[in-house]
Amino acid sequence: MRDLLFKNLTSQDKRKRIIASSEVVDDAGVRSIIRRHLICLVKEVNPQRQNERIRKFAPCLYILKQENTKEQKKKFICRIKGSVYAVNNGRLFLILFTHSLRINLISLTTGLDGVSE
């Protein structure tokens, strides 16, 4: 069995976008739950102004892996944050983004007493 859910949300001024997907798969006694999120924010930068300096935000990578052998669960989380500059029609834009991926693996072959069959 496979369940898919997609969301695509965009602000009215087209400056903020959220894209999300969720997938649940039951296969070979394992339930996989996969969630992806992308958040993108666009800001116009005016380099002519003295008080507004062009700066680039340092990228950030976060990874977490957990394993629970008693409950037969595994979890993996990856998150990336960063920024990029882009020029469109002679205008400078700063694009800030966050991408996250979450994967949960759960064993479906656990009996009522919590012991695997």
Side-chain angles (χ1 to χ4, degrees):
M1 176 183 84
R2 176 175 284 196
D3 293 329
L4 294 170
L5 174 66
F6 291 98
K7 291 182 184 178
N8 188 350
L9 305 172
T10 304
S11 65
Q12 290 181 349
D13 62 357
K14 308 279 190 213
R15 298 281 175 123
K16 185 175 182 181
R17 173 174 269 181
I18 300 172
I19 300 171
S21 71
S22 179
E23 179 179 0
V24 179
V25 179
D26 293 337
D27 188 29
V30 176
R31 174 173 286 156
S32 303
I33 303 170
I34 303 167
R35 294 189 177 109
R36 297 174 191 91
H37 286 84
L38 173 65
I39 300 172
C40 184
L41 180 65
V42 178
K43 294 182 177 183
E44 186 170 2
V45 178
N46 187 353
Q48 309 302 334
R49 294 167 63 185
Q50 295 291 337
N51 59 357
E52 188 175 347
R53 291 192 176 140
I54 296 176
R55 61 183 175 151
K56 189 165 185 176
F57 297 96
C60 178
L61 175 64
Y62 172 75
I63 297 175
L64 173 68
K65 182 179 177 185
Q66 292 180 340
E67 187 171 353
N68 185 337
T69 54
K70 184 177 179 182
E71 296 181 12
Q72 295 184 341
K73 294 181 180 180
K74 291 184 183 182
K75 182 191 293 189
F76 175 78
I77 299 171
C78 177
R79 179 174 289 157
I80 301 169
K81 292 184 178 184
S83 64
V84 133
Y85 281 98
V87 177
N88 185 14
N89 294 329
R91 295 169 33 191
L92 182 64
F93 293 94
L94 173 63
I95 303 168
L96 303 166
F97 63 89
T98 301
H99 181 78
S100 63
L101 171 68
R102 294 175 182 255
I103 301 173
N104 291 321
L105 302 174
I106 304 166
S107 175
L108 298 176
T109 59
T110 306
L112 294 175
D113 58 355
V115 179
S116 296
E117 297 173 348

